[in-house]
Amino acid sequence: MADQPDIATVIAARAGDPAAVDRLVAGYLPLVYTIVGRALEGHADVDDVVQDVMLRVLRNLGDLREPESFRSWLVAITVRQVRERFRFRRGAPDALVHEDVRDPGADFTDLAITRLELSGQRRETAEATRWLDEENRELLSLWWLEASGELTRDEIVEATEVTRQHAAVRIQRMKGQLETARVVVRALAAQPPCPDLRLITVHWDGTPGALWRKRIARHTRDCVHCTPAWHNLVAAERLLAGMALVPIPASLAGNVGGSAILSTGGAHLATKIGLGVSQKVLTAALATTAVAGAGTAVVVYHQSSPPQQPTAAVVVTSAPVVRPTTVAASRTASPKPSPTPSKTSKKPAVVITAKASKKKGVGVWKFTGLKAALADVGAGWYYNWASNNDDVPGPSGVEFVPMIRAKGDATDATIARAKKESGGELLGFNEPDMAGQADMSVEDALAAWPKLQATGLRLGSPSVAYGGDTAGGWLDRFMSGAKDKGYRVDFITLHWYGSDFSAASVDQFLGYVDAVHKRYNKPIWITEFGLMNFSGSPKYPSSSQLVTFIKGTTSGLQKRSYVERYAWFGLPAVADSVDFGLYKDGDSPTAAGEAYKAAG
């Protein structure tokens, strides 16, 4: 293992010792930078993510119960921040900036090759990482460090939140893709070049990607000239063993020990979290959160510009994606959850087979013509990710369903308001498995659940972003914990987005819904669903593809008696949501809007 601060340093830093904080930051920055840099290959936002990781680590260091687990905890936080950045960036083209204008420090592969003095097959392997799929780049960033002795397999398992067996399977698949990518790199660099390969790649723009990786690899398997590229590949483990961490760039390293000027609020916050103010790497992040020193966190979501990047159980890409929440809100710091009540007998779930007119709903945010559009689309219900509908009042006869969105909203006052607004149901936490959303552990959600249960309303489960049908996933652990404690969950809520725009997407979606119902045998609400491609082009389906998907899915949902309600994401088709929303104003539905209007 690399020479990193010992447990005594972690304990001292946790106690607020500024010198220990300095040592902790300096000692672990190379590890964090290597994970983030390799996972976000080719993008200039690596420094920002490193800053986010270190700020989150230091702000939560006081809650770390086991100092000996610091590194595993740090790696898990790093992976979550990488995933969050992936999801927020999916709205932009996933391509390298042109080499003529690119900041050299932004290309992690070039940096690694230069600073680690890689050559031969080591250099070839580093170049091949550009060709990996997004989720495999994340996994590679961890496995590379395992192969080089910087991480253990247990730390990878903890960071990726999967079983040891699942981690092994994922790593094997990633290694297979890496080997294919190495062959692609060899074939493209071969001298003399293969004339047939030159013809195949004549329209390629030079940007590594999954489609061209597959095309080029397929050619190499059948081409006499290119087949030798598959020969004499040294195992990647042997190439990576013993390789050092990539030194952090001057933009981070040169300022870690230097002086930094913080605002009074920022310095106060730094003192509160035990942060030595010399860490310039955290200056920008502190400046944006100085208001937290007053004990209040203000979260602003732009109502006029709805989210581009919904969170989802994605069909084609295995990594989930994230969406900024669309409700405007300001929250005071969350109180500690009330003591867990004594175990009670579990109440039977109330199963209601909803009428067709009541099933169809929409997720809404503020836009011109909201009330008229809600009436026109024929929705029986709607929600806005909030406990009340003050900003988005609907027409008479369209039910508003409130939500307790996150841990900070589980206050007596907010829950009482939600109960007052409710027609009988209450939605639980929004995407607790996502850092950009509710971001709650299963334990936190279970601790707060009795307060929601005390309303007497029918309770929908927390809406996980993905993996609702996965054994050992977030939802599975929550449901098991609720059962053990005798807590009530009356129906399951789900989110789903697909990146396959073909007609097959209908069965992919319905298959996921069926699988979740089979696992828990409870009524289902789908509170967000749609089609979007967050890692490729085109990002959105055509109007005809959307119409086909809406007709097929709504028909299937109407036929399933266990599906009580479903809600399209979302009603407005304005600004950034024009490609997937339903209404441009109160009486101007898109083609998708017309299809959804006809459903039910």
Side-chain angles (χ1 to χ4, degrees):
M1 299 296 173
D3 185 17
Q4 291 164 346
D6 56 16
I7 296 176
T9 301
V10 176
I11 294 174
R14 187 179 61 177
D17 181 346
V21 172
D22 285 348
R23 293 196 301 273
L24 201 64
V25 171
Y28 279 102
L29 266 177
L31 177 65
V32 173
Y33 176 72
T34 299
I35 294 173
V36 175
R38 194 167 298 289
L40 298 181
E41 172 61 60
H43 293 278
D45 48 5
V46 170
D47 288 7
D48 290 339
V49 177
V50 173
Q51 290 176 354
D52 291 343
V53 169
M54 299 311 294
L55 176 63
R56 181 169 289 235
V57 166
L58 294 179
R59 289 182 65 183
N60 293 281
L61 186 57
D63 296 329
L64 180 65
R65 297 180 180 178
E66 301 175 353
E68 63 273 15
S69 67
F70 174 81
R71 194 174 65 171
S72 298
W73 178 66
L74 170 71
V75 172
I77 290 174
T78 304
V79 170
R80 285 198 293 271
Q81 292 303 107
V82 165
R83 289 177 178 175
E84 182 176 354
R85 186 55 60 103
F86 270 138
R87 292 156 197 151
F88 276 111
R89 281 184 45 254
R90 277 192 171 117
D94 190 25
L96 296 174
V97 178
H98 192 276
E99 61 182 2
D100 292 338
V101 296
R102 187 170 70 236
D103 173 6
D107 192 327
F108 192 85
T109 294
D110 286 346
L111 190 68
I113 290 172
T114 301
R115 297 195 176 188
L116 298 180
E117 299 180 350
L118 302 182
S119 60
Q121 291 200 33
R122 281 192 172 93
R123 180 188 184 102
E124 200 174 70
T125 302
E127 292 177 348
T129 62
R130 292 191 177 110
W131 290 86
L132 295 183
D133 293 340
E134 186 176 279
E135 67 270 19
N136 279 332
R137 288 206 305 270
E138 173 197 295
L139 188 58
L140 173 73
S141 70
L142 301 176
W143 176 72
W144 186 299
L145 292 173
E146 180 190 25
S148 59
E150 297 291 342
L151 291 180
T152 65
R153 179 57 61 90
D154 287 340
E155 287 170 330
I156 293 178
V157 169
E158 185 171 345
T160 54
E161 299 179 319
V162 298
T163 65
R164 193 177 184 89
Q165 183 178 12
H166 189 188
V169 171
R170 287 189 60 201
I171 287 172
Q172 284 302 118
R173 290 174 179 168
M174 179 274 296
K175 287 165 63 178
Q177 190 174 103
L178 179 63
E179 181 175 280
T180 299
R182 290 170 65 188
V183 171
V184 168
V185 169
R186 279 189 176 188
L188 291 173
Q191 292 297 330
C194 171
D196 291 336
L197 183 57
R198 292 183 67 178
L199 287 174
I200 290 174
T201 58
V202 68
H203 296 297
W204 177 46
D205 64 1
T207 302
L211 177 61
W212 283 103
R213 182 191 69 234
K214 293 173 183 176
R215 287 180 178 176
I216 295 170
R218 185 164 56 245
H219 165 79
T220 62
R221 291 186 176 93
D222 301 325
C223 174
V224 175
H225 189 282
C226 296
T227 297
W230 290 90
H231 302 159
N232 302 317
L233 288 169
V234 177
E237 292 92 333
R238 291 175 56 190
L239 296 174
L240 307 182
M243 289 178 61
L245 297 172
V246 177
I248 59 178
S251 60
L252 292 176
N255 295 316
V256 170
S259 61
I261 300 174
L262 298 179
S263 66
T264 302
H268 176 64
L269 176 61
T271 302
K272 279 191 66 176
I273 63 175
L275 170 64
V277 294
S278 62
Q279 275 69 48
K280 189 173 181 181
V281 67
L282 300 171
T283 302
L286 285 172
T288 63
T289 57
V291 68
T296 302
V298 180
V299 184
V300 179
Y301 304 96
H302 298 290
Q303 294 172 316
S304 61
S305 179
Q308 300 182 59
Q309 303 168 358
T311 307
V314 181
V315 174
V316 176
T317 56
S318 63
V321 292
V322 74
R323 164 195 45 70
T325 312
T326 58
V327 295
S330 62
R331 306 198 298 260
T332 55
S334 307
K336 292 183 179 180
S338 57
T340 303
S342 58
K343 189 171 182 178
T344 58
S345 59
K346 183 180 178 183
K347 295 182 180 180
V350 179
V351 180
I352 297 176
T353 302
K355 295 180 180 179
S357 61
K358 291 290 291 182
K359 278 193 177 186
K360 185 172 65 177
V362 283
V364 307
W365 50 93
K366 207 168 187 177
F367 79 110
T368 302
L370 170 76
K371 186 176 290 189
L374 263 175
D376 190 65
V377 77
W381 71 284
Y382 75 104
Y383 81 116
N384 64 346
W385 299 270
S387 61
N388 65 81
N389 65 340
D390 289 352
D391 289 331
V392 286
S396 176
V398 181
E399 180 186 357
F400 170 73
V401 179
M403 169 185 279
I404 302 301
R405 181 182 170 272
K407 180 179 178 180
D409 300 316
T411 64
D412 291 341
T414 302
I415 292 175
R417 179 67 187 275
K419 181 177 180 180
K420 183 178 180 181
E421 297 274 351
S422 175
E425 289 94 3
L426 180 64
L427 300 176
F429 308 114
N430 186 68
E431 298 174 353
D433 50 338
M434 291 290 102
Q437 298 299 313
D439 191 14
M440 299 171 68
S441 67
V442 170
E443 292 72 24
D444 282 345
L446 288 170
W449 202 251
K451 299 178 73 173
L452 278 65
Q453 184 173 288
T455 62
L457 301 171
R458 293 186 69 237
L459 280 180
S461 71
S463 304
V464 293
Y466 67 104
D469 60 340
T470 302
W474 197 101
L475 181 60
D476 193 55
R477 287 181 283 125
F478 176 85
M479 294 299 291
S480 295
K483 182 178 180 180
D484 291 342
K485 294 176 182 295
Y487 294 165
R488 174 170 53 85
V489 180
D490 297 309
F491 55 93
I492 304 295
T493 62
L494 299 175
H495 291 178
W496 187 95
Y497 295 86
S499 55
D500 179 352
F501 300 161
S502 73
S505 60
V506 173
D507 288 335
Q508 291 164 355
F509 166 67
L510 294 174
Y512 178 66
V513 175
D514 289 341
V516 174
H517 176 253
K518 182 178 180 180
R519 182 162 197 85
Y520 303 109
N521 195 30
K522 288 183 177 291
I524 300 292
W525 288 33
I526 301 94
T527 50
E528 289 183 27
F529 74 111
L531 288 179
M532 298 182 197
N533 183 354
F534 303 100
S535 60
S537 181
K539 179 179 177 182
Y540 301 109
S542 66
S543 292
S544 61
Q545 288 171 324
L546 260 183
V547 168
T548 298
F549 178 74
I550 287 173
K551 287 182 176 179
T553 54
T554 55
S555 174
L557 294 173
Q558 293 289 353
K559 293 174 182 176
R560 284 161 168 78
S561 61
Y562 68 79
V563 174
E564 290 187 353
R565 302 194 183 187
Y566 57 87
W568 182 261
F569 182 88
L571 185 63
V574 296
D576 291 335
S577 62
V578 68
D579 292 298
F580 57 84
L582 302 178
Y583 276 72
K584 299 176 183 178
D585 53 42
D587 58 359
S588 300
T590 63
E594 291 284 8
Y596 201 70
K597 179 179 178 179

